[in-house]
Amino acid sequence: MTTSPHPAAPRLVVVSAGLSVPSSTRLLADRLAEAARTELPTASVEFVELRELATAIANHLVTGFPSEPLHRAIEAVSAADGLIAVTPVFAASYSGLFKSFFDLIDPDALTGTPVLIAATGGTARHSLALEHAVRPLFSYLHALTVPTSVFAASEDWGGEGDAFTAHLPGRVVRAAAELAAQMRMRSARPETEEVTPFAQQLSDLRLD
């Protein structure tokens, strides 16, 4: 039996949960997307701006019926070959808008999908939110988060940063390279290859 590879143009979706216009969260998302495109020139890039979907997200949580723009956003994220997810940090965690959107994603839709996680905040003290809140969220969704997460504090945009956030451009490039590498591996995998669900693996072990 022959198998066909994924399309030549991997689909990269960038989710930004910034609330203001202009937004430092969107600015970071743009820089990460640009760095990823440099590493993976064949990729198509689609942005999902959650601020524009805030009312639709709230309605969907209450009614269970998404608007057409929200449905398209959910479908785009679910079908992505790679994902960049950027949230502002509020009260030491991701924003409510960010969490509410990913609550609408099917728990199995992102299984094995490479994800670059990033966040913005007022000070570097918020940077650990990526590790204690955002990374566990995508682990729950069975996504493959790349090792380097990117946090941008206010001081990062105009200078060298501090001991915790120095060299933002370098971290952007490193994280984008890790994402691109995982996306290339995913694209090279035959479409017919199936991943055995973890629950099924456990069941098989019990039968043995």
Side-chain angles (χ1 to χ4, degrees):
M1 180 179 64
T2 60
T3 58
S4 59
H6 283 278
R11 296 159 296 184
L12 174 63
V13 177
V14 185
V15 177
S16 172
L19 299 180
S20 59
V21 179
S23 163
S24 61
T25 300
R26 177 57 190 261
L27 177 59
L28 180 57
D30 287 340
R31 291 192 179 185
L32 290 166
E34 181 180 358
R37 278 296 301 273
T38 299
E39 295 286 340
L40 201 64
T42 61
S44 65
V45 180
E46 179 177 350
F47 281 83
V48 174
E49 192 67 59
L50 297 187
R51 179 180 179 274
E52 299 172 356
L53 299 170
T55 300
I57 290 170
N59 287 339
H60 185 14
L61 288 170
V62 174
T63 66
F65 296 100
S67 65
E68 185 56 33
L70 178 57
H71 175 72
R72 289 196 300 268
I74 292 171
E75 289 295 305
V77 169
S78 300
D81 295 306
L83 184 66
I84 296 173
V86 192
T87 178
V89 174
F90 298 129
S93 189
Y94 37 60
S95 73
L97 180 60
F98 184 85
K99 179 60 163 58
S100 294
F101 175 74
F102 282 100
D103 282 345
L104 302 178
I105 303 296
D106 185 279
D108 295 321
L110 295 181
T111 298
T113 302
V115 179
L116 191 170
I117 57 173
T120 58
T123 72
R125 291 192 299 273
H126 295 302
S127 61
L128 287 178
L130 279 165
E131 303 305 323
H132 73 67
V134 183
R135 196 179 295 277
L137 170 63
F138 287 100
S139 294
Y140 171 79
L141 293 172
H142 312 297
L144 180 64
T145 54
V146 301
T148 300
S149 57
V150 180
F151 181 84
S154 297
E155 59 264 27
D156 277 322
W157 301 111
E160 292 297 323
D162 57 25
F164 299 98
T165 60
H167 312 302
L168 175 62
R171 286 184 289 114
V172 166
V173 170
R174 183 169 67 249
E178 293 170 356
L179 178 65
Q182 291 295 335
M183 289 179 65
R184 281 191 289 268
M185 291 176 60
R186 181 181 176 89
S187 295
R189 182 185 305 158
E191 287 187 348
T192 55
E193 180 179 336
E194 295 183 359
V195 177
T196 303
F198 184 63
Q200 182 61 49
Q201 294 180 41
L202 288 178
S203 177
D204 292 343
L205 286 173
R206 294 191 188 100
L207 291 175
D208 293 341

